[in-house]
Amino acid sequence: MAAVDFSPLARKDVASHFHPYTNLRAIEKEPPLVIVAGDGVEVIDEHGKRYIEGMAGLWCAALGFSERRLAEAARRQMETLPYYHSFSGKAHDTVAELAARLTALAPTEALRRGRIVFANSGSEANDTAVKLVRYYWNARGRPHKKKIIARGRAYHGVTLASASLSGIPMMHWHFDLPLDFVRRVTCPHPYHHALDGESDAAFTDRLAAELEALIEKEGADTIGAFIAEPVQGAGGVIVPPAEYFAKIQPILRRHEILFIADEVITGFGRTGARFGSQTFGIEPDLMTTAKMLTSAYAPLSALFVSEAIYETCADASVEAGVFGHGYTYSGHPLACAVALEALAIYDERDLVGHVCRVAPVLQDALRRYAEHPLVGHSRGVGLIGAVELAEDKVARKPFDPKRGVGAFLVRRAQAHGLILRVMAGDIIAFSPPLVITEAELRELLARFERALEETWAWVRNG
Ligand SMILES: Cc1ncc(COP(=O)(O)O)c(C=O)c1O
């Protein structure tokens, strides 16, 4: 780890920042946790205190916070070619190499034969997917096929299109969203949406019927695509019942509705396979990835485009003269060099195999936590999971959000040197760096358990 000056930041430095996803008035009074360095799966605050990063930042720092090889790859690229673009007949070797590497890794033949569109964030990748759906159906002479079906509690990002696809009300409030191209279906979360006594099979049949009914009501000719995260992250770590995607994909195919898989958090190993699409048997037409693509050391996203969609767009671009889309930083050399190195490390260290080996430690613990009196439900797959706190487990009744029970737990965890995240509904998420060792994972869980017991005592004392 490089030498760090731990002197606390002057208050005014912190006060200049318009914080994302924060109660802006609250943070004026209670300053943020200021992180100044990283070391393996830990981050270190301005006072020198260490925390296990139980969320890998925002589900993204797969290799932890001090992988020298990524720093070296970035430095080499900066010294060789710090910037170039891919507009109008140009390219650079790093982006070309990464595109080839990614298509080779793609989970289906249609994507392996397809192309990659680069952007800088998950939001932009999903935004671009929406634009490609429009471009594709226009080029196919079916200009009415533009609506996109998304699910409740989805998280797809914050651009106008991506936030519209997201199904979390506070992302829409005061932003005049969602835009009117979105249609919504129920998410596959049996804990909240299954009827009393309903089996997973009956529940997923009902969701498939809901989808079919929506398509019939709107008219299949008006619906261009369906978008889904294999495991819904920010909406509460929702792991679908095993048969869910197998039931909805034939319906989409029958109605010629494209499937956009949002693999922004599941891509590159989180679920115990390289892609969540492999874990859940999804065959996407478009697939968005970001985050762990560079282990989050540089901003980069990659949208995988099937051969059929690419071919249609390519023909249409001839007619238009040019394909009118691209970012100044699409396939930025620095980010591409970091991604290539990250992908090489993932292979050399068999990171997917490692996730499969350590995941049972997390998943067994989550199953145990489901028995705790404060926990209504727990769930997970691979190295992602969540516990959902409940005031009444049997009635599946959540706590009054004003009590801030989940926030209390997360503060206690932080006091014990563990960073976790609470999501709406007092859901506590786990998504550690993929390189976490079994011993580190057991330490993470021990700290969580202390926080859980303290929260339970606090709740009982009113
Ligand atoms: C599933 C999913 N899609 C898209 C995004 C948006 O990515 P970004 O924050 O890089 O724009 C996120 C961010 O957490 C995400 O979890």
Side-chain angles (χ1 to χ4, degrees), residues 134 137-138 142-148 181 222-224:
R134 295 179 173 201
W137 287 120
N138 283 332
R142 300 175 70 179
H144 301 296
K145 241 171 137 46
K146 298 289 168 50
K147 293 175 204 161
I148 299 187
F181 70 93
T222 72
I223 299 177

Side-chain angles (χ1 to χ4, degrees), residues 58-59 120-124 126 155-158 229 231 233-234 262-265 288 290-291 421:
L58 293 172
W59 333 83
N120 309 290
S121 66
S123 302
E124 286 175 350
N126 284 325
Y155 190 89
H156 298 297
V158 296
E229 302 152 78
V231 175
D262 178 344
E263 294 247 16
V264 167
I265 64 172
T288 54
K291 298 200 185 241
R421 175 158 161 202

Side-chain angles (χ1 to χ4, degrees), residues 255-278:
H255 293 292
E256 295 184 276
I257 294 171
L258 301 173
F259 195 123
I260 308 169
D262 178 344
E263 294 247 16
V264 167
I265 64 172
T266 49
F268 308 104
R270 176 64 63 195
T271 61
R274 196 185 305 274
F275 296 103
S277 290
Q278 291 158 321

Side-chain angles (χ1 to χ4, degrees), residues 33-231:
L33 174 69
V34 179
I35 299 299
V36 295
D39 184 16
V41 297
E42 292 183 330
V43 291
I44 305 169
D45 75 12
E46 57 184 325
H47 306 290
K49 179 170 170 174
R50 287 175 171 262
Y51 306 82
I52 297 177
E53 230 304 351
M55 285 298 295
L58 293 172
W59 333 83
C60 50
L63 295 173
F65 297 87
S66 56
E67 179 49 63
R68 292 297 311 159
R69 278 179 58 184
L70 297 187
E72 285 302 316
R75 186 185 56 76
R76 277 196 306 275
Q77 186 64 48
M78 290 289 263
E79 288 174 357
T80 315
L81 180 69
Y83 173 71
Y84 212 66
H85 63 87
S86 321
F87 283 27
S88 50
K90 312 287 193 309
H92 57 88
D93 53 347
T94 316
V95 74
E97 190 182 339
L98 181 59
R101 179 99 179 84
L102 287 173
T103 49
L105 294 178
T108 64
E109 187 60 20
L111 295 183
R112 278 193 290 279
R113 297 167 67 95
R115 304 273 173 149
I116 308 289
V117 182
F118 289 102
N120 309 290
S121 66
S123 302
E124 286 175 350
N126 284 325
D127 202 280
T128 305
V130 172
K131 288 181 73 180
L132 278 191
V133 168
R134 295 179 173 201
Y135 201 94
Y136 173 76
W137 287 120
N138 283 332
R140 293 271 314 267
R142 300 175 70 179
H144 301 296
K145 241 171 137 46
K146 298 289 168 50
K147 293 175 204 161
I148 299 187
I149 301 177
R151 302 177 305 168
R153 292 171 174 250
Y155 190 89
H156 298 297
V158 296
T159 62
L160 289 175
S162 302
S164 294
L165 294 170
S166 300
I168 298 176
M170 59 85 172
M171 299 174 67
H172 299 156
W173 194 70
H174 274 9
F175 290 115
D176 295 340
L177 295 175
L179 301 177
D180 66 6
F181 70 93
V182 178
R183 295 294 178 273
R184 188 97 41 209
V185 288
T186 307
C187 67
H189 191 11
Y191 178 64
H192 282 294
H193 299 301
L195 306 173
D196 283 341
E198 194 175 34
S199 66
D200 277 356
F203 174 56
T204 48
D205 277 346
R206 195 158 56 77
L207 294 193
E210 180 198 19
L211 176 66
E212 186 99 55
L214 176 71
I215 295 168
E216 259 155 43
K217 176 171 152 269
E218 298 287 331
D221 236 27
T222 72
I223 299 177
F226 171 87
I227 184 166
E229 302 152 78
V231 175

